[in-house]
Amino acid sequence: MKKTAIFYSFRSVKSQQQAKKIIKAIGVPVDEVDLDTITRDTFMGYDNYVLAVPTWFDGELPNYWDEFLPAIEGESFKGKRFAIYGGGDQKGYPENFVDGIGVMAEFLEDRHGKIVGMTSCEGYSFERSRAQRGNQFLGLALDIENQAALTKERIEHWGQQLQKEFK
Ligand SMILES: Cc1cc2nc3c(=O)[nH]c(=O)nc-3n(C[C@H](O)[C@H](O)[C@H](O)COP(=O)(O)O)c2cc1C
């Protein structure tokens, strides 16, 4: 049976609340892994990944991702599927909206990982995003600063999408 896990910082209240809702929406057994204590061997032990990647520092990854990525930069993710979600603020950071999702997607694709869970950019208003490819985001953008009321529906829809796109 394929193994699925969701990776987020257990210290991030927002990522954690979103993770719990995503687990429910996917509806299959999902391990929860803490990015603050993650190791290379734990990370490599799965087939399907849900990764929490909020955007910090004007378009950058959070510290915990920056600290961990060197441990897996030499790996191949061939055969693995990755769904990325992350918080962003389209009014506060319109030129870097959810860039972290794009930075992570590029890192994984460079190492032959497959990105799933892409979503439409419709319904968001921003100027530029590294997470945008065509009219889609390379994951699920969650903006609780400006669109909190849409989060529940976005997550439920995404969970159903992942049920089909994970193998
Ligand atoms: C200092 C700071 C910088 C931020 N930079 C960005 C950014 O460049 N792009 C963006 O979309 N959101 C940005 N945000 C908004 C956060 O991504 C958003 O609040 C997110 O929900 C944080 O999630 P977390 O608490 O789980 O880390 C920034 C927030 C702060 C406080």
Side-chain angles (χ1 to χ4, degrees), residues 12 14-15 54-59 87-89 93 96-98 145:
S12 166
K14 288 189 233 170
S15 293
T55 301
W56 288 12
F57 313 122
D58 298 355
D89 174 352
Y93 302 89
N96 300 98
F97 181 51
V98 295
E145 272 89 349

Side-chain angles (χ1 to χ4, degrees), residues 16 25 37 44 48 71 76 80 101 111 125 136 149-150 164:
Q16 181 163 46
T37 55
M44 293 306 289
N48 295 320
S76 167
K80 297 180 183 290
I101 291 175
R111 292 158 182 80
S125 176
Q136 290 201 303
L150 298 178
K164 297 188 196 115

